[in-house]
Every structure is written in structure tokens, then in C-alpha cells.
Amino acid sequence: LNVILKERAPRLVVVRTPQELWAATPEAQIGTANAQRAKDLKARRRASAFITSMSNIAQTQLENGRDFSVELPTRTTSITTKDLGVLLGNSSVACAVGSGCQYGCTDSRNVPMRRNTSWYSSAPQIIDHLNQLCGNDHCHGELKEQVDLRRFANMTTKTADCLLKGYAAMLADKEPD
């Protein structure tokens, strides 16, 4: 993967969290049987491999003067790896926490879902667009069906729009031509 990143030299890499990792978050566990919780706990333990890969991608981008943005479930950040610690200790990495309900994340009945997400990026302009927490002025839906989990795990259009707006602002700041 590092060879591909060096050859293609993308200006920005966005890393999304796999659905199985979102399935293991406490928000996804509401009303889940104990056997399923045990299975999801195993998925969280395997998350360290994903976090290590994500950290390596981010580190490669930083070393080559390029940018990255990473999405992680907020509760997943308790999974620590040496690589994640090195990345978060880098002064050029900014962090934000956003609530999915602020970005259009809804369940199958169109009720907003909280979906707390930590964002890490080398572009503070992107972080500025993803830093919206829920004001708790509405009810939140629960994951009751498999379709809800898929909706919970997918990035919303509004989230993608915020990434693009932040990316445009970053380019305007770094390459104002």
C-alpha cells in the first residue's frame, strides 16, 4: 500500500472505518443479544490491525507532504496501538468529534442517529467542517434492523460534502492560485 501511495501521490487520502468496526460500537449494541455482543467484541479486538494500517497510511502521507483524513468511531479510540499513539502525538494532526445526527445520519424510520465520530486530519480546514456535536435537542433512533446498521456505518452525503468543502478550503490556503 505504501508503494501505491508513493507512486500515485494522492493529495488527500480519506480513510473510512469498516462496517464491522461500527457494528462493535456501544451505539450499535442497543438491544443486541449477548452472543452477538461477544462476536462484536472480537471484531473490536481485530480493529487494532485496521488502526495500524490507517496510521501507516496517514504517516506515509505526512512524510511525503500530503494530507489525510481518518474517520474512527469515538469509542474505538480507546483501542490503542503504538502506531496510533505516534500519529496522535504529531503536532500537525488535528482532531474533531462530530455527531452523525448533525450530518444527516438517520435510521430506517428517518429518526436521527447519534453516531459519534472522531476525525483526525493533517488539514485543519477539514476538521473545522466536521466538528459539530449534537445539542441533544432531539431524540435519537436505535439500530433495530440490519439496514439500520448499514445506514449507521455509511458516510452520509452531508459528511462527504463537509470533507469536500474542507478540502477546497485546504487547497485555497496551501495552493492559492
Side-chain angles (χ1 to χ4, degrees):
L1 185 59
N2 286 338
V3 171
I4 292 170
L5 288 174
K6 288 178 182 176
E7 285 176 0
R8 296 194 178 176
R11 184 71 185 94
L12 174 70
V13 172
V14 177
V15 181
R16 284 194 55 238
T17 299
Q19 181 174 333
E20 94 173 351
L21 191 51
W22 278 109
T25 62
E27 293 91 342
Q29 297 294 320
I30 298 170
T32 304
N34 285 339
Q36 182 62 37
R37 287 183 185 178
K39 181 180 171 186
D40 291 337
L41 182 59
K42 290 179 186 175
R44 284 194 76 198
R45 289 183 180 140
R46 288 191 310 262
S48 64
F50 166 74
I51 290 173
T52 298
S53 295
M54 173 274 303
S55 297
N56 290 338
I57 291 168
Q59 200 62 43
T60 298
Q61 287 293 99
L62 287 172
E63 288 169 2
N64 291 289
R66 297 187 302 263
D67 293 289
F68 72 92
S69 288
V70 173
E71 164 206 57
L72 282 175
T74 299
R75 304 277 176 99
T76 306
T77 56
S78 63
I79 299 171
T80 56
T81 66
K82 181 181 88 169
D83 299 312
L84 184 61
V86 169
L87 180 66
L88 298 181
N90 188 317
S91 62
S92 60
V93 177
C95 176
V97 177
S99 300
C101 56
Q102 302 301 300
Y103 298 94
C105 185
T106 61
D107 66 13
S108 56
R109 296 161 301 157
N110 234 17
V111 176
M113 290 196 297
R114 188 177 301 270
R115 189 189 193 264
N116 291 326
T117 306
S118 294
W119 290 94
Y120 302 95
S121 183
S122 55
Q125 301 87 341
I126 291 175
I127 292 297
D128 290 346
H129 283 82
L130 295 168
N131 200 19
Q132 295 180 24
L133 286 173
C134 178
N136 290 319
D137 55 353
H138 55 263
C139 294
H140 292 103
E142 294 180 5
L143 294 148
K144 295 184 184 256
E145 303 173 27
Q146 190 62 27
V147 69
D148 290 334
L149 178 57
R150 282 192 302 274
R151 292 171 71 115
F152 188 70
N154 287 331
M155 188 179 291
T156 65
T157 301
K158 187 173 180 184
T159 303
D161 286 345
C162 288
L163 279 164
L164 288 173
K165 287 175 185 172
Y167 181 59
M170 179 201 73
L171 288 176
D173 288 349
K174 289 187 175 182
E175 301 171 15
D177 291 295

